[in-house]
Amino acid sequence: RAKSKIHEDKEFELRPHTVPSWTIEEYLQAAEHEELYRLIEPFLDIDRSAAYLDVKDPDELTEKEGRLRCKYYFAGGSCRYMFEVTGAQVK
């Protein structure tokens, strides 16, 4: 946040709130909910055959997990990059 106004911070009892980045496990767990997955699926448009998946055999992954892992490679823990922009925009 920009410069704080200390008097307002005290008056309204404001404190910083840090939100940690998502892990791949959290993305995979969230994608188990089909309604959410249908909403984010258009943004998981990265080629899953790429060698950067960091798994020994990409064919062992389900389609959903492969797409999420590919996108995670570029988007990382940023939910905005993962769920709101296409793979081409993230690259």
Side-chain angles (χ1 to χ4, degrees):
R1 133 179 176 198
K3 293 182 181 179
S4 63
K5 298 180 182 177
I6 295 173
H7 64 283
E8 287 182 2
D9 287 358
K10 289 180 181 178
E11 179 182 348
F12 298 111
E13 298 179 12
L14 301 178
R15 290 180 296 260
H17 176 74
T18 303
V19 178
S21 299
W22 282 36
T23 64
I24 186 62
E25 290 79 19
E26 289 170 319
Y27 285 124
L28 293 169
Q29 185 178 9
E32 289 176 9
H33 300 277
E34 288 303 317
E35 187 175 342
L36 172 68
Y37 186 73
R38 281 193 303 275
L39 293 172
I40 64 170
E41 189 175 19
F43 301 103
L44 303 176
D45 58 344
I46 294 179
D47 176 20
R48 107 169 235 217
S49 66
Y52 47 74
L53 280 176
D54 196 28
V55 292
K56 292 179 182 174
D57 186 4
D59 294 329
E60 291 179 0
L61 303 176
T62 64
E63 179 71 20
K64 185 185 293 186
E65 183 178 356
R67 294 177 81 188
L68 284 161
R69 287 187 179 278
C70 285
K71 184 73 180 274
Y72 185 79
Y73 178 83
F74 292 102
S78 170
C79 290
R80 181 173 294 149
Y81 285 164
M82 192 71 164
F83 298 148
E84 293 183 0
V85 298
T86 65
Q89 292 171 309
V90 174
K91 285 182 180 182

